[in-house]
């Protein structure tokens, strides 16, 4: 068993799915899966159980991962002590925004020769906040809305974090291009009632709507999934829909999903229940309060601004 295999196991445990872990570890999912199987064969027991909803750590696996984390930390401390320098790191935690991933790729390319360890994690809003508050990530990308602003700001204050405004966001309905409503210029919640609401973040809908609206339109009865790939499949197969908050630049796909599948889906502005188009979202990034952003962090935010055509560069 190698230290790289141990790192992969820790990464999968933290991500909760092979798909997410492969993105964060910059390794293909088949290669990651093969590495896990090799390690489990060597150990003689399963570390994870696999299902359509992701991976779950077994009882033996939990014990192993605790020891593996301690071992890997000792390895990192050993390097720090005898190499004389601490390896630089840059990590971003974000909601599921393609523009955030695109900007991160630019940073990795630009600073790949500068000795950094890079990490990019896609998570729910409260997990993004926890990562930055706990020092796991230098920057977090999320949004504020009328529904979540008070709660998020309270959590940010408690974690010693500050929210930096980037731009205003709109709410969108995300559909497959063959959906019966895909040609609409805008959509109301009434028009969506006959169709399945699909999401992998059941808490996120509370950031879009009040409890009364959620209950009235049956949004609390969503089909929940474990990852974005499954969500996209169900949107296509079931004529489902989901919601996205965000902005985008020249490429509309930057608001949501990128890659080969993106061209098969459309974004349509969502109307508020009173008939007006919603403009209730504020996109921004969070950092620790009073902590000076280094060059790589500033460059990352500038990359986002350029992708989204936002004026006023950070540096």
């Amino acid at each position: 068993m190698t230290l790289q295999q141990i790192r992969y196991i820790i990464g999968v445990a933290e991500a909760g799915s092979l798909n997410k872990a492969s993105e964060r570890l910059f390794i293909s999912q088949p290669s990651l899966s093969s590495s896990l199987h090799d390690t489990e064969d060597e150990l003689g027991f399963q570390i994870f159980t696999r299902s359509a909803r992701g991976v779950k750590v077994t009882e033996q696996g939990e014990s192993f991962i605790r020891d593996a984390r301690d071992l890997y930390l000792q390895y990192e401390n050993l390097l720090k002590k005898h190499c004389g320098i601490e390896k630089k790191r840059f990590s971003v935690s974000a909601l599921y925004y393609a523009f955030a991933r695109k900007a991160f790729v630019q940073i990795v390319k630009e600073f790949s020769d500068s000795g950094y360890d890079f990490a990019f994690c896609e998570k729910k809003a409260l997990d993004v906040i926890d990562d930055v508050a706990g020092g796991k990530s230098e920057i977090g990308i999320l949004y504020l809305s009328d529904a979540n602003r008070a709660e998020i700001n309270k959590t940010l204050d408690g974690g010693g974090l500050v929210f930096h405004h980037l731009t205003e966001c709109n709410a969108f309905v995300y559909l497959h291009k063959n959906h019966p409503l895909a040609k609409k210029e805008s959509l109301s919640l009434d028009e969506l009632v006959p169709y399945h609401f699909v999401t992998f973040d059941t808490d996120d809908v509370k950031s879009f709507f009040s409890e009364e609206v959620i209950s009235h339109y049956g949004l609390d009865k969503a089909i929940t999934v474990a990852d974005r790939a499954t969500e996209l499949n169900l949107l296509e197969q079931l004529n489902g829909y989901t919601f996205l908050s965000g902005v985008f630049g020249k490429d509309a796909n930057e608001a949501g999903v990128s890659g080969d599948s993106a061209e098969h889906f459309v974004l349509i502005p969502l109307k508020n229940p009173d008939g007006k188009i919603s403009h209730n979202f504020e996109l921004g990034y969070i950092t620790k309060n009073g902590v000076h952003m280094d060059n790589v962090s500033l460059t990352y935010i500038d990359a986002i601004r350029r992708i989204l055509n936002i004026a006023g560069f950070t540096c």
Side-chain angles (χ1 to χ4, degrees):
M1 185 188 313
T2 66
L3 286 167
Q4 186 72 286
Q5 287 174 307
I6 291 175
R7 179 169 176 262
Y8 289 161
I9 290 168
I10 295 170
V12 172
E14 291 178 346
S17 80
L18 292 177
N19 184 44
K20 293 178 183 178
S22 66
E23 292 180 359
R24 299 178 188 180
L25 295 167
F26 300 98
I27 181 177
S28 69
Q29 186 168 327
S31 296
L32 178 59
S33 181
S34 176
S35 175
L36 292 181
H37 280 300
D38 289 344
T39 305
E40 288 175 330
D41 287 343
E42 182 178 348
L43 291 170
F45 61 84
Q46 273 193 307
I47 303 172
F48 303 101
T49 56
R50 285 83 164 169
S51 71
R53 298 184 63 84
V55 298
K56 184 177 180 180
V57 181
T58 64
E59 186 174 347
Q60 273 187 293
E62 288 182 355
S63 177
F64 175 81
I65 289 171
R66 283 196 297 270
D67 292 339
R69 283 196 175 102
D70 291 340
L71 175 62
Y72 201 79
L73 180 60
Q74 290 177 20
Y75 164 70
E76 290 182 326
N77 290 335
L78 182 69
L79 290 181
K80 293 175 187 177
K81 179 178 179 179
H82 293 283
C83 292
I85 58 172
E86 184 173 350
K87 193 173 182 68
K88 295 179 290 185
R89 61 184 296 273
F90 177 69
S91 177
V92 174
S93 293
L95 301 182
Y96 295 81
Y97 285 130
F99 66 78
R101 298 193 298 272
K102 184 175 181 180
F104 187 79
V105 169
Q106 293 180 15
I107 293 302
V108 173
K109 289 179 178 179
E110 184 171 347
F111 291 90
S112 60
D113 295 330
S114 301
Y116 278 90
D117 273 339
F118 294 100
F120 184 84
C121 305
E122 293 183 317
K123 298 186 173 184
K124 299 178 182 180
L126 293 180
D127 293 328
V128 169
I129 293 172
D130 286 344
D131 279 359
V132 180
K136 185 174 181 179
S137 291
E138 284 70 44
I139 291 175
I141 307 295
L142 47 72
Y143 67 86
L144 301 180
S145 70
D146 291 347
N148 76 0
R149 190 180 304 274
E151 179 185 356
I152 293 294
N153 280 333
K154 181 179 179 180
T155 306
L156 293 177
D157 290 341
L161 306 175
V162 59
F163 180 88
H164 308 270
H165 173 86
L166 280 172
T167 190
E168 298 300 318
C169 309
N170 297 328
F172 296 91
V173 182
Y174 199 62
L175 307 166
H176 191 266
K177 67 177 182 180
N178 294 329
H179 192 285
L181 301 177
K183 302 298 182 183
K184 291 274 191 174
E185 292 186 1
S186 63
L187 287 171
S188 68
L189 292 174
D190 288 310
E191 293 173 287
L192 295 170
V193 168
Y195 303 99
H196 293 289
F197 172 42
V198 183
T199 184
F200 53 78
D201 188 350
T202 54
D203 293 331
D204 194 51
V205 69
K206 297 176 183 177
S207 299
F208 282 80
F209 311 109
S210 67
E211 293 287 352
E212 291 78 13
V213 170
I214 291 172
S215 177
H216 178 76
Y217 289 98
L219 299 176
D220 51 350
K221 300 177 178 63
I223 297 175
T224 57
V225 296
D227 55 52
R228 180 69 79 184
T230 303
E231 182 183 50
L232 294 179
N233 182 263
L234 292 182
L235 293 185
E236 177 180 2
Q237 299 298 322
L238 298 177
N239 274 338
Y241 69 91
T242 192
F243 300 108
L244 290 178
S245 64
V247 292
F248 42 91
K250 296 177 181 178
D251 182 358
N253 293 331
E254 287 161 4
V257 181
S258 61
D260 294 338
S261 63
E263 65 185 52
H264 301 300
F265 293 84
V266 295
L267 286 164
I268 301 175
L270 174 68
K271 295 178 182 177
N272 276 335
D274 62 5
K276 297 179 181 179
I277 300 296
S278 175
H279 295 281
N280 296 327
F281 301 93
E282 181 184 3
L283 180 71
Y285 63 97
I286 59 173
T287 62
K288 284 190 174 181
N289 195 10
V291 174
H292 176 71
M293 293 176 65
D294 60 12
N295 184 47
V296 66
S297 297
L298 293 171
T299 305
Y300 176 71
I301 297 303
D302 281 351
I304 288 178
R305 290 182 180 276
R306 291 187 178 94
I307 291 169
L308 299 180
N309 298 315
I310 301 172
F313 293 153
T314 308
C315 59

